[in-house]
């Protein structure tokens, strides 16, 4: 016997003990109903297309099965009742079972929305009576995303409704087996806590906001926090947050940090010894812990061993209760090491230890923002082979209690997020080549999959290194922040070593410029070739009639290669311009600064050109990497260089580039026309010099 899924299939909640549909399950039911309407022809067949006897549309019935382990599900067929039964241990089990139908039987991939993927439309799907879908326990207990630096998705909306945007983020997380979220940065979390709760997710808190409490400086503006004098004020904030989240699923975060996400002693400099600092943080952790245990004795609790906390913990100066999950952090570049901060880079491991007592987890970055060399609007430049190996080592060291992954704005990072989700579900045994081939096939189609997999490998091969370790690859911030550092340092009038570049290279300013330019000169041909290969692959897809694959190639790997190519070219030109300015050649410096500005403008234009359909406006608020601002800094540099080279009377360049040769040296009247703007002067130079 068989059952038939088609556009008339319905999804219902049917549980004799719990008659009302649980709100988290209702969200997943609505998603599956959407997927059914999309997957099957026009959704509801016409009357003259009625099914034959025995071919009536199946009903999908959802219920609890308390015999299952937490978060597990079975999906089975009851052909006698013409039903598909989704049995879940709890809300999450039911949700995962519903999404398993969407993925395995309807063809909706976990990141379908972010990759514009849709299954091939058909009339119906016939399932045998023995068809079933079964879950298996995840390799990581609590697993999810920190929606951090979310500047793109806060300024872009699905159908003019920002809650729909966040619902899509959360439903995607659930589709790939996540169960936990930090729903935004700092104060941006609170508006989305309730939606995360309603959709069945655990909520965790950023290390800067223990217990999810308001920042001290927010609650008590103008007051510099002190410990222990302000203990009562802190406790009032903690109690307020606990009460606000009462009844929700929370993995609580304990700790103490300063008002600007720095060490607390930045606000209270009286604490000067490690012993004293460790004592204060330990006291705060213990007080927070006691408040949580009084409210919920079984609630999961965590603390981040991040930055100064890790150092104090390793010195034995932090007293952390035995049942608190310790969260270790990577360096922002995929490696479990202490993160670089300014010019300080200890290169010390931050990997959980297999013999460390208690439970351990990680905070891991698919996206990072460090104003130096990280990736934020492009995917990790580090190879997925290295990422998978690092995460396998985490699991081998018992780091399986909690994974919090910085997903940023999701769309630029879906491949990395998919890889990580595979590992938090299935464990360390991931064949990366097979994963890439499968990913390319699922989202770009069989015809283009081989070419796309090669392009992906080309992306990681193209990455330049700022050091000789696998986790020292240049993200797109390198090619936007460094040219701004170079231009700003020159504009300041300082010709000594630029301290903001000392993390990369020490020496005189000219030597630092040459070092950056050398990295760019080596990287540019690789990204230029990759961008051209992407366009060639897109054209090949179009030749085969696959408009979806062509567009997706241009939207993803093609766009990212272009961002790098244009930003690298712009950085090279800034280095050239400042080098010429230091040598007193202000005309050429002005010209090359103008060419640099054009390249950064081209990078921004490439992002905006990939906005279509629901993605209109998605790239508009690129304000962290901010490629368009790199162009603005170049315009400021141009203005200064023109001042130096053509001021104070501003006529010599006009004569040289705007007048016929026989009139250039004839100076009877300085100007017979208005002074050119910087842009007009730059265009005049281009007409004379061309693309030098």
């Amino acid at each position: 016997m068989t059952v038939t899924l088609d556009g008339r299939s319905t999804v219902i909640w049917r549980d004799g003990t719990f008659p009302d549909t649980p709100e988290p399950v209702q969200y997943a039911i609505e998603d599956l109903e959407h997927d059914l309407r999309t997957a099957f022809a026009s959704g509801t067949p016409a009357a003259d297309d009625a099914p034959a006897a025995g071919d009536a549309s199946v009903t999908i019935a959802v219920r609890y099965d308390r015999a299952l382990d937490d978060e597990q599900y079975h999906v089975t067929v009851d052909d006698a009742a013409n039903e598909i039964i989704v049995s879940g241990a709890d809300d999450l089990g039911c949700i995962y079972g519903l999404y398993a139908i969407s993925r395995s039987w309807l063809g909706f991939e976990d990141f379908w929305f972010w990759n514009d993927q849709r299954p091939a439309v058909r009339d119906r799907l016939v399932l045998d009576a023995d068809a079933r879908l079964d879950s298996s326990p995840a390799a990581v207990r609590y697993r999810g995303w920190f929606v951090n630096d979310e500047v793109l998705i806060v300024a872009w909306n699905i159908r003019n409704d920002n809650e729909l945007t966040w619902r899509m983020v959360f439903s995607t997380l659930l589709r790939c087996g996540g169960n936990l979220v930090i729903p935004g940065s700092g104060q941006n979390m609170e508006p989305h806590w309730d939606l995360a709760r309603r959709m069945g997710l655990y909520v965790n808190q950023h290390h800067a906001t223990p217990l999810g409490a308001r920042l001290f400086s927010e609650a008590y503006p103008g007051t510099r926090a002190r410990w222990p004098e302000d203990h009562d004020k802190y406790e009032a904030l903690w109690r307020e947050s606990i009460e606000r989240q009462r009844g929700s699923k929370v993995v609580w975060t304990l700790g103490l940090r300063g008002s600007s996400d720095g060490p607390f002693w930045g606000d209270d400099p009286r604490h000067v010894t490690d012993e004293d600092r460790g004592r204060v943080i330990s006291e705060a952790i213990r007080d927070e812990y006691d408040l949580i245990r009084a409210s919920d004795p079984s609630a999961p609790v965590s603390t981040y061993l991040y930055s100064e906390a890790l150092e104090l913990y390793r010195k034995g100066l932090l007293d952390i209760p035995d049942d608190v999950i310790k969260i270790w952090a990577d360096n922002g570049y995929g490696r479990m090491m202490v993160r670089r901060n300014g010019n300080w880079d200890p290169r010390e491991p931050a990997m959980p230890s297999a013999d460390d007592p208690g439970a351990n987890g990680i905070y891991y970055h698919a996206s990072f923002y460090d104003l130096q060399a990280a990736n934020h609007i492009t995917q990790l430049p580090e190879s997925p082979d290295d990422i998978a190996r690092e995460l396998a080592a985490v699991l081998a060291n018992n780091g399986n209690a909690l994974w919090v992954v910085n997903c940023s704005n999701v769309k630029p990072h879906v491949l990395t997020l998919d890889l990580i989700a595979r590992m938090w579900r299935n464990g360390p045994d991931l064949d990366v080549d097979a994963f890439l081939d499968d990913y390319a096939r699922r989202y770009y189609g069989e015809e283009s999959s081989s070419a796309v997999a090669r392009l992906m490998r080309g992306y990681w091969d193209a990455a330049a290194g700022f050091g000789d370790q696998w986790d020292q690859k240049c993200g797109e911030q390198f090619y936007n922040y460094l040219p701004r550092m170079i231009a700003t340092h020159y504009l300041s009038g300082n010709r000594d070593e630029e301290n903001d570049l000392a993390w990369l290279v020490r020496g005189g300013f000219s030597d630092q410029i040459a070092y950056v330019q050398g990295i760019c000169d080596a990287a540019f041909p690789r990204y230029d070739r990759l961008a051209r290969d992407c366009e060639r692959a897109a054209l090949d897809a179009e030749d085969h009639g696959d408009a979806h694959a062509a567009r997706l190639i241009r939207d993803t790997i093609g766009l990212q290669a272009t961002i790098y190519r244009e930003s690298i070219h712009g950085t090279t030109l800034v280095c050239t311009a400042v080098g010429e300015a230091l040598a007193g050649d202000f005309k050429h410096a002005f010209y090359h600064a103008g060419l640099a500005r054009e390249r950064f403008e081209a990078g921004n234009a490439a992002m905006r050109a990939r906005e279509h359909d629901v993605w209109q406006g998605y790239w508009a608020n690129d304000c962290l990497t901010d490629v368009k601002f790199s162009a603005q800094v170049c315009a400021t540099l141009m203005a200064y260089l023109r001042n130096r080279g053509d001021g104070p009377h501003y006529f010599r360049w006009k004569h040289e580039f705007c007048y016929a040769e026989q009139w250039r040296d004839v100076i009877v009247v300085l100007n017979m026309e208005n002074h050119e703007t910087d842009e007009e002067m730059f265009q005049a130079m281009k007409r004379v010099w061309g693309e030098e």
Side-chain angles (χ1 to χ4, degrees):
M1 296 291 290
T2 62
V3 297
T4 300
L5 271 172
D6 62 21
R8 293 167 301 190
S9 296
T10 56
V11 188
I12 63 171
W13 173 261
R14 186 196 296 136
D15 188 288
T17 306
F18 299 92
D20 295 331
T21 308
E23 187 175 25
V25 178
Q26 181 60 38
Y27 278 98
I29 287 174
E30 292 172 5
D31 284 348
L32 181 55
E33 289 173 338
H34 161 273
D35 297 351
L36 287 164
R37 291 193 302 270
T38 304
F40 294 115
S42 61
T44 303
D48 58 1
D49 190 30
D55 194 26
S57 303
V58 70
T59 296
I60 301 171
V62 191
R63 67 189 185 198
Y64 291 136
D65 182 349
R66 300 304 192 183
L68 294 170
D69 291 336
D70 290 350
E71 301 184 0
Q72 301 304 294
Y73 64 83
H74 295 312
V75 179
T76 56
V77 170
D78 183 346
D79 56 324
N82 196 34
E83 290 184 342
I84 293 172
I85 308 298
V86 179
S87 301
D90 43 33
D91 290 350
L92 283 172
C94 295
I95 290 166
Y96 295 152
L98 290 165
Y99 286 137
I101 292 173
S102 180
R103 177 173 53 252
S104 299
W105 290 345
L106 303 186
F108 279 87
E109 302 297 341
D110 295 340
F111 292 90
W112 69 267
F113 174 78
W114 307 93
N115 276 334
D116 291 319
Q117 180 263 340
R118 305 289 190 281
V121 176
R122 49 192 160 168
D123 291 330
R124 57 179 58 85
L125 173 66
V126 178
L127 296 170
D128 293 333
D130 60 355
R132 63 183 294 132
L133 300 170
D134 294 297
S135 62
S136 57
V140 176
R141 173 62 186 95
Y142 300 107
R143 53 207 179 271
W145 293 345
F146 178 15
V147 190
N148 183 220
D149 302 327
E150 64 276 25
V151 295
L152 302 182
I153 62 173
V154 298
W156 161 81
N157 299 319
I158 300 173
R159 297 199 297 273
N160 299 315
D161 185 346
N162 194 244
E163 183 166 289
L164 287 180
T165 302
W166 285 85
R167 177 173 174 178
M168 188 57 70
V169 172
F170 298 158
S171 66
T172 303
L173 172 59
L174 288 162
R175 284 177 186 265
C176 59
N179 61 8
L180 172 143
V181 71
I182 303 178
S185 304
Q187 299 94 321
N188 294 332
M189 288 190 292
E190 190 165 1
H192 313 296
W193 277 343
D194 187 56
L195 178 63
R197 177 192 61 78
R198 286 187 277 122
M199 293 185 69
L201 289 162
Y202 289 89
V203 173
N204 188 225
Q205 299 105 11
H206 188 215
H207 60 260
T209 55
L211 304 188
R214 289 185 292 157
L215 292 170
F216 189 95
S217 57
E218 174 191 0
Y220 307 106
T223 301
R224 186 175 292 273
R226 299 181 304 163
W227 188 279
E229 291 86 346
D230 289 318
H231 174 274
D232 290 347
K233 290 187 173 67
Y234 275 112
E235 183 171 323
L237 295 176
W238 299 335
R239 289 183 180 277
E240 174 189 74
S241 185
I242 291 170
E243 185 61 32
R244 185 170 66 248
Q245 297 177 77
R246 187 178 299 279
S248 299
K249 298 196 305 186
V250 181
V251 177
W252 298 94
T253 294
L254 313 179
L256 182 69
R257 294 213 92 202
S259 59
S260 299
D261 192 15
F264 78 87
W265 52 87
D267 298 325
D268 191 356
R270 299 173 301 166
H271 302 280
V272 296
T273 68
D274 286 344
E275 290 76 12
D276 189 33
R277 293 166 174 176
R279 176 187 58 78
V280 170
I281 296 176
S282 297
E283 288 175 358
I285 286 176
R286 177 57 68 175
D287 289 347
E288 294 162 348
Y289 178 84
D290 289 344
L291 290 173
I292 291 298
R293 285 287 168 257
S295 174
D296 185 349
S298 62
V301 185
S302 66
T303 190
Y304 283 78
L305 297 181
Y306 188 74
S307 192
E308 71 277 1
L310 175 60
E311 183 178 1
L312 294 170
Y313 176 74
R314 283 191 164 148
K315 291 180 178 180
L317 300 175
L318 287 187
D319 179 19
I320 299 173
D322 292 341
D323 59 344
V324 173
I325 302 168
K326 297 179 294 297
I327 304 176
W328 306 69
D330 79 322
N331 60 359
Y333 295 79
R335 193 162 187 173
M336 297 305 298
M337 280 193 163
V338 176
R339 64 160 290 191
R340 184 180 64 251
N341 190 359
N343 297 330
W344 177 74
D345 188 6
R347 298 297 295 172
E348 293 179 1
M351 179 73 74
S353 173
D355 58 2
D356 194 84
N360 293 286
I362 60 171
Y363 171 40
Y364 199 80
H365 292 82
S367 170
F368 190 42
Y369 172 55
D370 70 348
L371 297 88
Q372 289 182 334
N375 66 296
H376 175 249
I377 56 173
T378 62
Q379 64 183 319
L380 271 169
E382 282 74 23
S383 165
D385 305 280
D386 295 316
I387 301 305
R389 186 176 61 251
E390 193 75 353
L391 293 174
V394 167
L395 292 172
N397 283 280
N398 297 325
N400 61 354
L402 192 159
W403 283 14
V404 178
V405 178
N406 189 320
C407 71
S408 187
N409 298 281
V410 184
K411 185 174 175 62
H413 312 291
V414 290
L415 187 148
T416 305
L417 295 172
D418 197 1
L419 183 150
I420 294 171
R422 295 290 186 96
M423 297 190 72
W424 77 30
R425 289 196 306 262
N426 304 328
D429 298 326
L430 178 71
D431 183 325
V432 173
D433 284 329
F435 164 76
L436 292 176
D437 290 341
D438 179 61
Y439 181 93
R441 177 187 55 77
R442 287 184 292 119
Y443 289 110
Y444 296 81
E446 194 72 46
E447 191 75 29
S448 297
S449 61
S450 295
V452 170
R454 287 194 299 272
L455 292 172
M456 291 173 181
R457 285 293 185 189
Y459 175 85
W460 295 301
D461 290 342
F466 58 81
D468 58 5
Q469 300 296 310
W470 68 259
D471 60 315
Q472 294 178 315
K473 296 295 195 300
C474 301
E476 89 286 331
Q477 289 174 57
F478 185 95
Y479 306 110
N480 283 271
Y481 279 94
L482 268 64
R484 297 189 320 228
M485 292 172 187
I486 290 169
T488 302
H489 188 67
Y490 171 75
L491 290 168
S492 74
N494 191 339
R495 302 297 179 258
D496 298 329
E497 179 184 66
E498 167 54 277
N499 185 60
D500 281 335
L501 294 172
W503 68 270
L504 173 69
V505 56
R506 302 303 301 262
F509 186 39
S510 294
D511 294 334
Q512 291 178 306
I513 293 171
Y515 189 86
V516 173
Q517 188 154 14
I519 291 175
C520 293
D521 288 344
F524 178 80
R526 298 194 295 269
Y527 282 108
D528 183 47
R529 182 169 56 251
L530 177 62
R532 288 186 281 108
D533 288 346
C534 289
E535 181 57 25
R536 188 176 299 112
L539 292 171
D540 288 344
E542 288 177 337
D543 288 343
H544 291 107
D546 193 343
H548 166 74
R551 186 170 73 174
L552 188 58
I553 290 169
R554 292 179 175 123
D555 284 354
T556 56
I557 187 74
L559 173 59
Q560 296 189 16
T562 301
I563 291 170
Y564 277 99
R565 180 183 65 188
E566 300 303 332
S567 297
I568 291 169
H569 196 180
T571 302
T572 300
L573 288 162
V574 168
C575 291
T576 298
V578 174
E580 289 166 338
L582 291 172
D585 184 357
F586 297 110
K587 276 187 295 191
H588 280 92
F590 174 89
Y591 178 60
H592 286 118
L595 294 177
R597 186 202 65 200
E598 287 189 329
R599 300 278 48 86
F600 290 117
E601 289 174 340
N604 180 64
M607 288 188 281
R608 305 308 305 275
R610 300 319 306 164
E611 296 177 336
H612 53 79
D613 304 302
V614 72
W615 304 109
Q616 293 292 339
Y618 178 83
W619 295 102
N621 197 43
D622 163 37
C623 63
L624 294 183
T625 295
D626 209 345
V627 178
K628 61 187 177 299
F629 187 69
S630 299
Q632 183 176 328
V633 171
C634 289
T636 301
L637 178 61
M638 290 172 69
Y640 178 79
L641 293 169
R642 187 177 179 192
N643 175 278
R644 290 294 309 277
D646 200 28
H649 300 301
Y650 300 95
F651 71 93
R652 296 189 184 278
W653 289 8
K654 179 182 183 74
H655 280 246
E656 182 173 354
F657 294 102
C658 300
Y659 287 4
E661 185 174 2
Q662 65 269 31
W663 298 108
R664 289 175 186 168
D665 295 326
V666 177
I667 304 177
V668 177
V669 178
L670 296 185
N671 281 8
M672 290 297 292
E673 309 88 17
N674 290 324
H675 289 88
E676 284 72 22
T677 64
D678 289 344
E679 172 62 16
E680 289 168 339
M681 182 55 65
F682 171 65
Q683 293 299 330
M685 287 181 169
K686 285 184 72 173
R687 288 191 293 270
V688 174
W689 282 342
E691 290 279 351
E692 287 194 353

